[in-house]
Amino acid sequence: MDNPSAKSPRVAFVTGGAQGLGLGISKHLLGLGWKVAMFDLDADAGEDALDGLTDAERDRTIFLQGDVAHEADIKLCIQQCVDRFGRIDGLINNAGIANPHVPNIEDLEWDQWQRVINVNLGGAFLATKHATQHLRDTKGAIVNIASTRAFQSEANTEPYAASKGGIVALTHALAVSLAGDIRVNAIAPGWIEVGDWQKNANKTEPDHSEADKAQHPVGRVGTPKDIAQAVSFLLDGDKSGFMTGETIRIDGGMTHKMIYVD
């Protein structure tokens, strides 16, 4: 939080906050004493997420169902967050269609392209649009979740790569537009294992080969905690108050490793 004089518990609005990386971020912030609004399209995930909290955490959590690409949903739910908690100090634009793979470009349908762009990039715009005045009131901060796929690609991932590249550009544009009121930064995660952070029906146990681990210079695949700790750092103006417009890669060093085919 950028306003050191504020004494009320800080409030975070986390899109895609009921499962996967978003749930990891939500729970980490709850552990730091924040109040959290988990916004997610999946009602079952929201129910499972709330069931997994302690009583004390549930008192500081609200689940809000909606589609981040529908402006009426995000506008209503941000207002519901403010009605419940009185403020918003941090917006985490995390919601996204996670599977990056699509048909080859000749077979890719316009609707497939548009849905990924609308959710991954448009959702961040809409949430920011409707949270901005509340964040101005608290001198709050925004953290956008991009991806290392904004900088490097596999074949047949055009919508996802474009959406995450757009997040990087949106981040520095907003940092300039909102300068003096709201800091805006982004995180570009690499391979983060979220199988055990899904709703109960989709939960899987991590299963990584030695090769999976070894291709990362740090020797392991990432976890939601790796990203959540960076999120809390970027939300804390006492620790990151001189940072805005930045995108931080957190990928175990993978994008810095040269790979040659033998």
Side-chain angles (χ1 to χ4, degrees):
M1 181 177 62
D2 283 358
N3 183 0
S5 66
K7 296 182 180 179
S8 300
R10 294 171 290 181
V11 177
F13 190 96
V14 185
T15 70
Q19 56 189 329
L21 181 55
L23 179 58
I25 293 168
S26 295
K27 293 193 73 169
H28 181 71
L29 293 176
L30 285 168
L32 295 176
W34 287 67
K35 295 179 178 180
V36 174
M38 297 178 180
F39 176 91
D40 206 290
L41 181 61
D42 193 324
D44 291 336
E47 183 176 346
D48 289 347
L50 292 176
D51 287 344
L53 302 179
T54 66
D55 290 343
E57 289 172 335
R58 287 195 68 158
D59 288 343
R60 292 184 282 113
T61 308
I62 182 174
F63 171 70
L64 300 167
Q65 184 184 14
D67 186 336
V68 74
H70 291 173
E71 184 166 12
D73 287 3
I74 197 72
K75 180 179 180 180
L76 174 63
C77 289
I78 284 175
Q79 187 58 54
Q80 288 176 329
C81 173
V82 174
D83 290 344
R84 170 71 179 271
F85 295 133
R87 58 192 291 159
I88 298 176
D89 300 88
L91 170 64
I92 299 87
N93 284 315
N94 164 76
I97 296 172
N99 182 7
H101 297 282
V102 294
N104 64 62
I105 194 67
E106 295 96 336
D107 297 324
L108 179 62
E109 297 290 339
W110 173 251
D111 288 348
Q112 290 177 280
W113 165 274
Q114 198 65 49
R115 178 61 179 165
V116 175
I117 298 298
N118 284 349
V119 171
N120 293 15
L121 180 57
F125 157 71
L126 289 174
T128 301
K129 173 182 177 179
H130 291 288
T132 288
Q133 186 55 58
H134 304 296
L135 291 165
R136 279 199 176 103
D137 293 342
T138 59
K139 293 292 184 182
I142 298 170
V143 179
N144 296 322
I145 303 300
S147 169
T148 53
R149 291 176 183 272
F151 312 108
Q152 59 180 168
S153 292
E154 294 177 293
N156 303 323
T157 59
E158 284 77 15
Y160 189 90
S163 70
K164 294 303 184 178
I167 288 290
V168 172
L170 179 65
T171 296
H172 61 70
L174 287 170
V176 174
S177 296
L178 302 177
D181 292 324
I182 303 166
R183 292 182 306 108
V184 187
N185 291 289
I187 296 170
W191 184 350
I192 306 298
E193 176 57 61
V194 296
D196 50 346
W197 288 84
Q198 302 301 323
K199 65 181 181 180
N200 293 339
N202 294 344
K203 197 180 295 289
T204 60
E205 290 297 322
D207 182 20
H208 304 129
S209 68
E210 290 306 311
D212 292 335
K213 300 173 186 177
Q215 65 184 313
H216 295 79
V218 300
R220 66 175 176 85
V221 173
T223 70
K225 185 176 181 180
D226 294 315
I227 306 304
Q229 289 175 323
V231 169
S232 60
F233 168 75
L234 291 173
L235 292 176
D236 189 337
D238 291 335
K239 296 178 180 178
S240 59
F242 199 54
M243 292 180 64
T244 195
E246 291 299 320
T247 297
I248 304 172
R249 300 190 202 192
I250 303 179
D251 67 349
M254 199 169 177
T255 56
H256 291 294
K257 184 178 179 181
M258 280 189 170
I259 300 174
Y260 293 105
V261 177
D262 293 332

